[in-house]
Amino acid sequence: EKGGWSSFMAKEITENPDAVANTVRGRVVDGLVNVPELSELGDDVLRGINRIILIACGTASYAGMVGSYAIEAWARIPVEVQLSHEFRYRDPVITPETLVVSISQSGETMDTLMAVKFAREAGARTLSICNTQGSTIPRESDAVVYTHAGPEVAVASTKAFVAQITALYLVGLHLGRVRSTLADAELRRLARELQELPAKVTEVLKTGPAVAQLAKWMSDSQAVLFLGRNVGYPIALEGALKLKELAYIHAEGFAAGELKHGPIALIDHGQPVFVVVPSPRGSALIHSKVVSNIQEIRARGARVIVIAELGDASVLPYADEVITIPLADPMFEPILAVIPLQIFAMELADAKGLDVDQPRNLAKSVTVE
Ligand code: F6R
């Protein structure tokens, strides 16, 4: 039940810290990530994988994009993300060394289910990342890593998204250990940081009132743009999707590097643009490129709202609004940066008097192809 909350979505956003904590729980043993469900595939099989294809739809596909950066960096396996309905009908190259990882909150999304069956018949190993025990997709897969976000009632996915990303980090760190692509000290540091994430998510939730105020001011916006780079790119896409589905506002997410290849033409006086700024502690170069992007759009009149890590003063001179997130390993930032965007979309929809739990034309699980 909703308890004292105004909507299921409001309740589920506050459950983000638990979604991360419960998904990690029991999967760090003696300081190292160990996901027993993955071991079921066999360590030899995991060592022999030469390609990973993540398949999903919508928000889950953006979780997959975040995961693709992490798994590739940590396990040194080529990883790509494909939308289930595109993968299924493109005649993909699949071998027994291909691991196809489906990501689905409901476990019933027909597009993803059909893609999993197809992958299995084509000879791939299949792993499901799923939030719903006993649902169809896990039953059709060789192994399943459950996310433990708890039941998600609001149509728009929030805590399940954060749990999906968490599960993908676990997969990346498990593979990094089994394949010896990460040093022991690094495996331990990342596992520890993962366990520290829930407290940081709780910290970000405190931006709620300020973000709600911003959403009220912006409730008559015609279009909102979102920019991100590296692991911030899928978060820009997710911020835009949340705004479309909840507030019925035209919203688009871009890779910040694409700006000059077209989208900058959209920037006009007063155009609101959210920018997810990567940590300067990750790549100083990427950080400085995004700061330049901010200067470019500001010079053309954009209203810039930045999401940046605490203490990143470089963005202050060019930002109209700053939302800060706590310091974390740069790979883990998506989990923190997405929270204000979830709140923003919900609050803006609420300010427009819309039903945030039941947006028009949408169903919680899409069980037709
Ligand atoms: C957006 C949203 C959808 C789902 C997508 C996949 O907020 O909820 O984009 O993420 O329909 O659903 P699952 O994860 O159940 O396969």
Side-chain angles (χ1 to χ4, degrees):
E1 253 312 302
K2 268 196 282 198
W5 299 100
S6 56
S7 62
F8 281 107
M9 190 178 177
K11 173 174 178 277
E12 287 161 7
I13 287 175
T14 65
E15 290 168 348
N16 272 310
D18 303 321
V20 179
N22 292 337
T23 299
V24 173
R25 180 162 303 124
R27 289 165 171 168
V28 178
V29 182
D30 295 330
L32 292 169
V33 168
N34 190 339
V35 185
E37 300 91 325
L38 281 177
S39 305
E40 278 171 28
L41 286 172
D43 282 356
D44 281 349
V45 170
L46 296 182
R47 277 190 280 267
I49 291 164
N50 60 19
R51 182 182 181 205
I52 294 179
I53 306 173
L54 302 173
I55 55 170
C57 301
T59 287
S61 76
Y62 302 146
M65 283 175 72
V66 174
S68 73
Y69 289 87
I71 297 171
E72 200 160 282
W74 294 336
R76 306 309 295 155
I77 305 169
V79 186
E80 69 204 275
V81 184
Q82 295 194 25
L83 295 166
S84 311
H85 36 87
E86 287 294 324
F87 168 77
R88 164 80 180 80
Y89 295 101
R90 65 176 285 159
D91 195 13
V93 176
I94 288 172
T95 72
E97 288 76 39
T98 307
L99 177 66
V100 172
V101 182
S102 64
I103 309 158
S104 175
Q105 188 287 128
S106 62
E108 301 296 345
T109 300
M110 187 57 76
D111 284 316
T112 303
L113 173 61
M114 295 307 283
V116 170
K117 286 187 178 174
F118 170 79
R120 216 188 40 194
E121 278 158 25
R125 314 266 173 183
T126 55
L127 170 70
S128 150
I129 292 179
C130 183
N131 197 48
T132 310
Q133 303 270 338
S135 56
T136 311
I137 293 172
R139 277 206 308 271
E140 294 288 338
S141 306
D142 297 326
V144 51
V145 173
Y146 280 107
T147 50
H148 297 292
E152 193 177 63
V153 177
V155 165
S157 186
T158 53
K159 62 176 181 170
F161 173 69
V162 154
Q164 285 163 346
I165 297 175
T166 303
L168 289 160
Y169 291 147
L170 290 167
V171 169
L173 291 173
H174 184 101
L175 290 174
R177 179 175 57 78
V178 171
R179 296 167 65 97
S180 309
T181 43
L182 279 179
D184 187 69
E186 191 63 355
L187 286 167
R188 288 177 189 279
R189 184 186 66 78
L190 289 164
R192 201 167 48 239
E193 280 230 20
L194 203 48
Q195 291 176 302
E196 289 165 0
L197 264 184
K200 295 178 186 180
V201 178
T202 301
E203 198 56 36
V204 191
L205 286 171
K206 294 182 188 160
T207 63
V211 174
Q213 194 57 252
L214 190 64
K216 257 198 203 91
W217 291 334
M218 291 175 64
S219 59
D220 58 356
S221 301
Q222 297 298 302
V224 180
L225 305 180
F226 295 77
L227 296 179
R229 188 160 180 148
N230 196 261
V231 287
Y233 169 38
I235 297 310
L237 297 174
E238 171 64 1
L241 179 60
K242 287 283 98 88
L243 200 58
K244 284 180 239 197
E245 64 178 336
L246 290 160
Y248 317 151
I249 290 177
H250 184 78
E252 231 182 314
F254 299 107
E258 275 295 290
L259 204 56
K260 60 181 174 300
H261 300 289
I264 198 161
L266 289 168
I267 307 294
D268 198 0
H269 188 75
Q271 171 63 55
V273 185
F274 278 81
V275 184
V276 181
V277 181
S279 165
R281 296 166 304 119
S283 159
L285 186 61
I286 285 182
H287 173 264
S288 72
K289 285 181 188 294
V290 173
V291 174
S292 303
N293 291 143
I294 294 173
Q295 290 171 271
E296 285 155 15
I297 58 173
R298 190 73 185 309
R300 287 162 179 80
R303 171 141 187 247
V304 181
I305 304 119
V306 305
I307 299 177
E309 75 173 23
L310 196 66
D312 181 1
S314 63
V315 294
L316 300 180
Y318 319 108
D320 295 283
E321 310 284 342
V322 180
I323 301 164
T324 51
I325 57 173
L327 303 187
D329 184 274
M331 201 63 95
F332 295 144
E333 281 187 346
I335 282 194
L336 304 173
V338 77
I339 309 289
L341 298 180
Q342 294 175 346
I343 297 172
F344 179 76
M346 175 183 71
E347 294 289 350
L348 204 150
D350 196 56
K352 289 178 76 168
L354 301 171
D355 182 344
V356 300
D357 286 338
Q358 279 291 345
R360 68 185 180 198
N361 308 340
L362 291 172
K364 184 63 186 162
S365 75
V366 185
T367 52
V368 289
E369 241 196 306

